[in-house]
Amino acid sequence: MCISLQQTNLKNHFIPNIKNHNIFYTNRQNFIRAQRWCIIKKLPKPFILLGDFNSHSEYWGSDTTDARGK
């Protein structure tokens, strides 16, 4: 599995040393929940995980819902 993962260090008054991680999955990559948990377990705490998972859901305005958007 090849994903793009970027880390940004954030400074704020509420949670010191929080890490922001951005993740990107292409349309061609299988998105497996176990892979996501494997990544999350390895991230330094505390963190925020944001991403472009190339998922579609009617919940957020897409015309269709795919497996990633469920």
Side-chain angles (χ1 to χ4, degrees), residues 7 9 17-21 39-48:
Q7 176 181 308
N9 295 321
N17 302 318
I18 193 165
K19 308 287 189 282
N20 176 43
H21 295 271
I39 292 167
I40 288 171
K41 288 192 290 187
K42 293 179 181 179
L43 294 177
K45 311 298 188 275
F47 68 87
I48 298 172

Side-chain angles (χ1 to χ4, degrees), residues 6-62:
Q6 176 187 18
Q7 176 181 308
T8 306
N9 295 321
L10 303 176
K11 291 185 179 182
N12 64 62
H13 300 287
F14 305 106
I15 305 172
N17 302 318
I18 193 165
K19 308 287 189 282
N20 176 43
H21 295 271
N22 298 302
I23 193 168
F24 173 74
Y25 279 90
T26 67
N27 275 336
R28 296 182 185 137
Q29 291 173 298
N30 290 329
F31 182 69
I32 299 170
R33 183 171 287 172
Q35 293 170 335
R36 182 178 65 201
W37 285 114
C38 180
I39 292 167
I40 288 171
K41 288 192 290 187
K42 293 179 181 179
L43 294 177
K45 311 298 188 275
F47 68 87
I48 298 172
L49 182 62
L50 306 168
D52 179 350
F53 299 99
N54 275 299
S55 57
H56 302 276
S57 175
E58 294 173 8
Y59 183 74
W60 54 77
S62 182

